[in-house]
Amino acid sequence: QGSRISLQQIAQSDAYRTNLGLVEAAGENATVLVHVFDNAGNPLAQIPESLLPSEHLQLNNFLQTNGIALTDGRIEVEITSPTGKVSAYASVVDNLTNDPLVVFPVTRGSVSATRYVIPGVADLNNGFASWRSDLRLFNSGASPVTATLAYSPQPNNQGASGPAQITIQPGQVYPVDSALFSLYGITDTGGSILVTTPSNSGLVVTARTFDQTSNGTFGQFIPAVTPADAIGVGDRSLQLLQLESSDRYRTNIGLAETSGNPATARVSLILPDSKFAIHVDVPLAANQFVQLPLAGFNAGTVYNGRVTVSVTSGSGRVTAYGSVIDQTTQDPTYVPAQ
């Protein structure tokens, strides 16, 4: 009771609509209050909802149903009952392509860090797609936060001339559209953005990386990772599931060092019903980002592949993700490490 789940980059506009999902996980009755804010932190609505034990409730066109027009904003789900445990998600749907973007929940106040890494940001035109990344930085604390944003390109991509600095007010979501061009004036590049603050802060940092077509967008939601979320030597391996390399889908595997120290990551592909793994060791410099194609393992066609990532040497800490891309539409699906 009293806990709040935050969901950002939600919208109800000519371009996008938002479905809100609520799930009760404890097998008990629960009530919640859904708070809607614009990016400046202004409250727009408070909407009560109730859930039966173990119920999954998806509220389609949630903002429109409640008379809210919002180009860009945020939702908080507050647990108001003494019973029940509730999680939430948002599905932000492009009105032209009907492509859904799943927004992962963050419990407000659960993050305290000085480093946040957004892997897989891009400003690329590769002949098949036109990739862009929009960033959102939410200050969940009570004081302004000054954040420094430094770009780390993947190998053979151009970098930025220097970091950018922004100040985020309490309760504000700071938007940065087409982030690599807006912050650094660069294009034809991809990598990761490191967000640092002078002292521990409660930022919620997210990105939407998408293919901008002439008739809408296809994209994926990417949450930031802190060093505490990443792994080092001796930690359990990260798992990436449901990966595919075929004539229908291709998969990219992203690796990023999060702590500012070098590390070597071992990336292993495990095929269904196989007792053997194909692996490659990837050295990462401090803060470096590397993206690998699953096809590079030379395993032929792969359905339902699993990739494990471990750190074999160095003092750095590594995060990973998968991006499974439809070969026809160029629609990416983000696969978080588990």
Side-chain angles (χ1 to χ4, degrees):
Q1 186 176 7
S3 299
R4 291 197 180 195
I5 297 165
S6 182
L7 303 161
Q8 59 198 51
Q9 290 185 267
I10 59 100
Q12 179 64 54
S13 64
D14 291 340
Y16 298 100
R17 64 188 185 273
T18 295
N19 302 327
L20 175 65
L22 303 170
V23 182
E24 201 292 310
E28 302 171 338
N29 290 307
T31 59
V32 301
L33 191 60
V34 181
H35 303 260
V36 183
F37 301 90
D38 63 17
N39 277 351
N42 299 311
L44 303 181
Q46 295 184 1
I47 303 155
E49 299 289 346
S50 60
L51 292 100
L52 298 172
S54 304
E55 183 179 10
H56 169 219
L57 178 64
Q58 180 163 298
L59 303 166
N60 293 333
N61 294 306
F62 177 74
L63 298 174
Q64 183 182 54
T65 299
N66 289 280
I68 301 168
L70 186 59
T71 301
D72 192 4
R74 188 173 63 84
I75 283 175
E76 283 188 1
V77 179
E78 178 186 7
I79 316 302
T80 55
S81 58
T83 59
K85 291 186 178 296
V86 177
S87 187
Y89 65 87
S91 180
V92 182
V93 185
D94 186 294
N95 287 330
L96 293 177
T97 64
N98 287 313
D99 178 47
L101 178 84
V102 177
V103 177
F104 300 109
V106 175
T107 301
R108 182 167 181 170
S110 65
V111 177
S112 180
T114 60
R115 298 173 64 91
Y116 308 80
V117 176
I118 288 280
V121 296
D123 195 305
L124 288 167
N125 292 286
N126 59 13
F128 298 100
S130 179
W131 298 105
R132 300 290 182 270
S133 294
D134 294 345
L135 267 61
R136 297 293 182 269
L137 300 93
F138 167 52
N139 179 7
S140 66
S143 302
V145 171
T146 298
T148 301
L149 285 69
Y151 176 58
S152 295
Q154 62 177 321
N156 302 317
N157 279 229
Q158 64 171 317
S161 58
Q165 196 169 79
I166 62 174
T167 298
I168 313 159
Q169 299 301 320
Q172 180 189 11
V173 177
Y174 195 106
V176 187
D177 290 339
S178 297
L180 295 182
F181 184 77
S182 297
L183 293 172
Y184 313 110
I186 54 176
T187 59
D188 299 319
T189 187
S192 63
I193 288 180
L194 168 65
V195 180
T196 56
T197 56
S199 58
N200 279 345
S201 59
L203 294 183
V204 179
V205 184
T206 60
R208 177 176 179 257
T209 293
F210 57 94
D211 173 21
Q212 178 67 67
T213 76
S214 59
N215 191 37
T217 63
F218 294 93
Q220 60 187 0
F221 179 87
I222 303 177
V225 177
T226 69
D229 301 320
I231 60 167
V233 172
D235 292 338
R236 67 171 184 82
S237 298
L238 299 174
Q239 308 288 324
L240 301 171
L241 308 179
Q242 293 183 274
L243 307 183
E244 184 168 330
S245 180
S246 69
D247 58 353
R248 299 181 306 165
Y249 295 96
R250 68 183 187 275
T251 296
N252 294 324
I253 299 162
L255 305 170
E257 199 290 311
T258 64
S259 70
N261 298 288
T264 298
R266 173 159 292 185
V267 184
S268 301
L269 169 63
I270 302 170
L271 301 173
D273 302 321
S274 174
K275 297 181 180 179
F276 303 98
I278 307 169
H279 72 260
V280 60
D281 290 330
V282 182
L284 295 167
N287 305 319
Q288 187 176 20
F289 171 83
V290 172
Q291 186 166 273
L292 309 171
L294 190 66
F297 284 84
N298 296 317
T301 298
V302 176
Y303 297 110
N304 196 28
R306 176 167 65 95
V307 163
T308 69
V309 178
S310 58
V311 177
T312 58
S313 66
S315 57
R317 299 187 65 79
V318 175
T319 187
Y321 69 87
S323 181
V324 182
I325 304 169
D326 186 294
Q327 300 275 38
T328 301
T329 65
Q330 305 304 313
D331 181 22
T333 297
Y334 177 76
V335 180
Q338 301 181 52

